[in-house]
Amino acid sequence: MFAVAVVLSTAAAVQLGASTPTGAGLAALAPWPEDLLRQRVEEACAGVERAAHAGKGLALALAEAKVAVAAALRRYPEDTDLWLRHAELAALSGAAPGVWERSLMRSYATGPREGWVAARRLPFALSRFAELSPAARQRAMDELDAMVGWRSSYLSHFARAYARLAPQARFIVERVVARQAPPVRERVTPILVGADRRLAVSRAGTSQ
């Protein structure tokens, strides 16, 4: 009986060992470095947004976000989203247009047709349209023209990115759109109006 128990215990141990991940197996289950870097970037940039809304702690949040984005870019220098975030953080920090525009142009170059990035990049570029070089303005206009054919999910992302802009920045976007040809103007204006309306309703509900 004892021998049977030993055999069963040994068999169970072997089975447990086979089902327990080894060091290599655990490494395979761990998040990819890209996932960890992306998570740090997302968390740091969300911290910037929270600090901006709260009106305090923005300088520290910006510094942390810049470190996170720079670390991610060192590993993934062709990531169009990271270059856009680099431009956004530089602009929010008060850097000269020539500084953040270089990052914006890298975003255009590395992801000219990445709709989910363009949905955030376009509001950013249009809100600073007067500060852009002729080359950057043309890239923004090309993206605005292409917006006519965007899928609905990208348009929703665009509306949310537009709604997060400061009031003066949203006004600048509206003025740029109003000067466009009818196909673009008629496609984009209702999106801006709808975003403004939802934002007003949300703020009214928060103040009550």
Side-chain angles (χ1 to χ4, degrees):
M1 198 62 187
F2 176 75
V4 173
V6 170
V7 171
L8 290 175
S9 298
T10 303
V14 171
Q15 184 176 1
L16 179 61
S19 62
T20 302
T22 62
L26 288 172
L29 293 175
W32 288 94
E34 181 180 5
D35 295 336
L36 293 174
L37 286 170
R38 179 72 61 185
Q39 182 179 348
R40 290 180 190 132
V41 168
E42 293 286 352
E43 291 173 352
C45 290
V48 170
E49 192 168 342
R50 288 193 298 270
H53 283 303
K56 59 181 180 181
L58 181 58
L60 178 59
L62 280 170
E64 292 175 349
K66 286 179 180 178
V67 169
V69 171
L73 275 172
R74 282 194 294 273
R75 188 174 181 92
Y76 304 104
E78 300 301 314
D79 190 301
T80 183
D81 176 63
L82 290 175
W83 280 115
L84 174 59
R85 291 180 186 274
H86 196 271
E88 291 171 332
L89 293 172
L92 193 55
S93 300
V99 173
W100 53 258
E101 185 182 295
R102 284 195 292 272
S103 298
L104 176 63
M105 293 300 279
R106 287 292 296 273
S107 179
Y108 282 126
T110 52
R113 288 178 290 277
E114 293 285 352
W116 65 280
V117 176
R120 286 187 13 253
R121 185 168 57 205
L122 185 55
F124 171 76
L126 294 182
S127 69
R128 297 175 177 273
F129 197 73
E131 303 169 74
L132 297 178
S133 67
R137 287 187 182 187
Q138 187 58 55
R139 299 303 294 264
M141 288 296 94
D142 291 343
E143 205 153 67
L144 184 57
D145 289 341
M147 193 176 165
V148 174
W150 281 3
R151 64 178 66 173
S152 59
S153 60
Y154 295 160
L155 295 175
S156 297
H157 286 314
F158 172 85
R160 286 194 292 271
Y162 164 78
R164 286 196 294 269
L165 295 173
Q168 180 62 26
R170 293 199 304 275
F171 176 69
I172 294 172
V173 173
E174 291 167 2
R175 287 181 58 189
V176 174
V177 170
R179 293 197 295 266
Q180 303 310 304
V184 173
R185 188 173 66 246
E186 293 169 4
R187 174 68 159 166
V188 181
T189 299
I191 297 172
L192 303 183
V193 172
D196 285 332
R197 186 180 299 115
R198 287 190 296 274
L199 184 62
V201 170
S202 174
R203 288 179 173 174
T206 303
S207 62
Q208 291 177 355

